[in-house]
Amino acid sequence: MSSNEKYTLNFSKPEKIYFVGIGGISMSGLAEILADAGFTVSGSDRSSSAITQGLEAKGIKVFYGQKYENITADIDCVVFTSAIRPDNPEYKAAQELGLKTLTRAELLGQIMKNYSIPVAVSGTHGKTTTTSMISEILLAADVNPTLSIGGVLPTIGGNVRVGGPEYFVTEACEYTNSFLSFFPKVSIITNIEADHLDFFKDLDDIRNSFRKFAQLLPDDGALIIGGDIERYKEITDGLGCKVITYGLEKKDAYGNPMDYYPENITYNELGRASFTVVSKDERREVSLQVPGEHNVINALGAIALADAIGISHEQSAASVHNFKGTDRRFEYKGVVDGITVIDDYAHHPTEIEATLKVAQKIEHNTLWVVFQPHTFTRTKAFMKEFAQALSMADKIVLPDIYPARETDNLGISSATLCEELRKLGADAVYIPSFDRVENFLLENCTKGDMLITMGAGEAYKIGESLLGK
């Protein structure tokens, strides 16, 4: 997505920036940061949403519907996401007018250059929660951070916070290699697994991208990396920066001592952990208000990063305790007719397994999961792994796949996944439409059951509809 000339941000001379797809969780955050810095910001999206309404309330002009005539010659730069295709009318207009363009990732990278300590949180899983925990630590430490999070953090009432010029914290997604446009001083790599196989060839291709991401760090920077990542030294070898490992075990993937690990993990009746953080220089007690073993790991990464940038140990431990979660991460939605409704963003087999392990620690009768698979590519690539993970639930309901950017169904559907589940002896049913799913649940769920709506698409709407929201 490049035009004749790349645009370079000049914060001392703010100009006119247009965002195609301004209502996205990341694009909206960048739009707010630029608007606050004095840039004249406008953009378009398909339809009105809480995010676009929030932008409008801040004086940002939003066009509904992406149209050629929205792009005018006085725009200094047009920003696109990787989802925008060359036949998009606004993209075509920008090209024909010879306007400068930036991808979302390129813009984010340029924004990072404006801060003293840019922090980038990457990995296949755990990015949003780890970024949010770091955000809580920096907010409590009163260092006035600028934040760009891939989910809504209740503490800041959204996904973005504009702060001072020192700390900038953002998620760094590997999809389309967007994180290779970044300029971090400190980075986290939570884990590396196969995903986004509509872009990457295989796991080795993904690992190669994470290696390039690690190499972006300056010699006076730091990389905090999951020490249980297989052959992680292929990612870190030869780096000039400090490398810090963390994970659940005392030893890393090579049998060396882990820099940060937990001891004495216990869980309460809500699945929330208390544990001792063991690091080279001390032991400290931590308790969480978010459930699951995966959040123990997320907290360790956030604490390791906080130590690396000089936040006090007491502050980081207190802040991760105060963290109450982000939207769509095992989010309690309410109770209807005695049925507890939870929503979760899990859309990869590893995430599903982590979520269902949490659910199993909480008292319930029957555990229902309504899982909407996200993209045909991911569903086909992990068909057996999805079935294995989902079979941890008592009953599974599968609506149609959420296609996102994809148009080719690759000859599969949710019915295919349902067949795989039944081969494992799981109680699974394929019900294409949300309306029919709701009716099925109303007829079959009973008092004391737990219902989890799950996926990166729109499955959350089913739970909200049942609750009358």
Side-chain angles (χ1 to χ4, degrees):
M1 295 286 176
S2 63
S3 187
N4 300 328
E5 187 182 352
K6 285 293 176 196
Y7 177 77
T8 302
L9 283 176
N10 183 349
F11 277 78
S12 64
K13 187 189 171 188
E15 296 184 300
K16 194 170 184 178
I17 314 292
Y18 187 96
F19 288 78
V20 181
I22 199 168
I25 195 79
S26 177
M27 291 281 270
S28 62
L30 300 182
E32 282 195 45
I33 289 169
L34 291 189
D36 191 80
F39 288 79
T40 302
V41 177
S42 60
S44 64
D45 218 295
R46 286 177 293 181
S47 57
S48 177
S49 67
I51 290 176
T52 60
Q53 289 163 22
L55 293 173
E56 289 175 309
K58 292 178 170 68
I60 294 172
K61 171 68 175 173
V62 180
F63 297 89
Y64 293 106
Q66 291 170 356
K67 300 170 186 173
Y68 188 99
E69 56 268 25
N70 291 345
I71 305 298
T72 53
D74 61 337
I75 293 170
D76 294 294
C77 181
V78 180
V79 183
F80 299 93
T81 68
S82 56
I84 297 301
R85 300 178 182 276
D87 60 355
N88 178 282
E90 294 183 342
Y91 176 74
K92 287 171 72 175
Q95 294 293 304
E96 290 175 15
L97 289 170
L99 301 180
K100 299 167 194 171
T101 63
L102 286 174
T103 65
R104 179 201 65 84
E106 288 168 341
L107 174 62
L108 181 48
Q110 289 204 24
I111 289 173
M112 291 176 88
K113 285 182 175 181
N114 208 46
Y115 294 83
S116 307
I117 305 176
V119 175
V121 181
S122 73
T124 312
H125 320 294
K127 289 188 292 295
T128 297
T129 300
T130 304
T131 304
S132 299
M133 287 180 170
I134 293 165
S135 299
E136 293 280 9
I137 292 169
L138 296 181
L139 288 166
D142 204 23
V143 296
N144 196 22
T146 296
L147 309 172
S148 178
I149 306 169
V152 174
L153 180 63
T155 306
I156 61 174
N159 67 302
V160 67
R161 177 189 189 272
V162 179
E166 189 172 10
Y167 293 94
F168 178 82
V169 182
T170 185
E171 290 184 35
C173 182
E174 72 275 19
Y175 184 59
T176 68
N177 281 329
S178 64
F179 63 177
L180 299 186
S181 296
F182 292 1
F183 296 90
K185 178 81 175 282
V186 185
S187 293
I188 293 185
I189 299 177
T190 59
N191 42 59
I192 303 174
E193 293 188 33
D195 198 9
H196 301 300
L197 295 174
D198 58 328
F199 176 77
F200 294 107
K201 291 195 290 289
D202 51 28
L203 181 56
D204 283 341
D205 192 21
I206 295 168
R207 287 173 61 88
N208 183 53
S209 285
F210 275 96
R211 166 67 175 169
K212 290 177 180 174
F213 173 70
Q215 289 173 322
L216 298 174
L217 288 162
D219 288 353
D220 62 344
L223 173 64
I224 293 98
I225 187 167
D228 53 2
I229 296 172
E230 188 179 352
R231 307 191 319 277
Y232 78 80
K233 287 189 178 178
E234 291 177 3
I235 310 296
T236 63
D237 275 351
L239 295 181
C241 69
K242 188 173 184 179
V243 176
I244 300 159
T245 59
Y246 72 102
L248 283 175
E249 306 299 327
K250 290 185 179 181
K251 304 284 187 181
D252 67 12
Y254 294 89
N256 300 318
M258 198 84 79
D259 293 322
Y260 288 79
Y261 63 90
E263 282 186 346
N264 309 319
I265 303 175
T266 59
Y267 295 92
N268 67 14
E269 69 280 1
L270 297 174
R272 296 167 177 171
S274 296
F275 54 99
T276 304
V277 176
V278 183
S279 56
K280 285 179 179 176
D281 51 354
E282 74 160 358
R283 302 164 69 88
R284 60 197 114 159
E285 300 305 315
V286 171
S287 62
L288 302 179
Q289 295 191 64
V290 285
E293 184 180 75
H294 61 295
N295 277 318
V296 173
I297 302 173
N298 294 333
L300 284 170
I303 287 168
L305 184 136
D307 286 0
I309 60 177
I311 305 296
S312 78
H313 293 183
E314 296 76 19
Q315 188 71 73
S316 59
S319 297
V320 294
H321 168 73
N322 291 333
F323 174 67
K324 295 181 172 64
T326 54
D327 288 1
R328 304 219 60 207
R329 270 67 178 181
F330 209 84
E331 181 185 0
Y332 173 83
K333 302 291 283 191
V335 176
V336 56
D337 297 333
I339 304 155
T340 301
V341 181
I342 305 288
D343 182 58
D344 197 277
Y345 191 68
H347 57 285
H348 183 282
T350 302
E351 296 164 353
I352 293 169
E353 184 178 339
T355 297
L356 295 183
K357 279 182 179 177
V358 170
Q360 289 174 346
K361 293 180 186 296
I362 300 171
E363 187 176 340
H364 60 267
N365 292 335
T366 301
L367 175 57
W368 292 79
V369 170
V370 177
F371 175 64
Q372 183 185 33
H374 188 263
T375 76
F376 299 107
T377 307
R378 184 183 284 117
T379 308
K380 185 171 185 178
F382 300 114
M383 185 69 70
K384 292 189 182 302
E385 292 86 350
F386 273 125
Q388 195 67 49
L390 287 165
S391 67
M392 294 169 64
D394 298 317
K395 295 179 183 290
I396 306 103
V397 182
L398 302 165
D400 278 332
I401 293 171
Y402 186 83
R405 54 195 169 266
E406 298 181 346
T407 53
D408 183 354
N409 67 16
L410 305 177
I412 63 160
S413 72
S414 291
T416 321
L417 178 55
C418 190
E419 290 169 17
E420 286 292 331
L421 277 157
R422 288 174 177 169
K423 286 178 190 174
L424 297 175
D427 187 346
V429 59
Y430 164 52
I431 303 176
S433 75
F434 282 9
D435 285 347
R436 287 174 57 194
V437 168
E438 283 181 41
N439 290 335
F440 179 82
L441 295 171
L442 286 168
E443 291 169 7
N444 291 279
C445 290
T446 57
K447 186 175 181 179
D449 289 355
M450 180 185 291
L451 167 66
I452 304 178
T453 57
M454 187 182 288
E458 297 179 332
Y460 67 90
K461 291 181 178 179
I462 293 169
E464 289 184 352
S465 180
L466 290 171
L467 290 164
K469 292 187 177 180

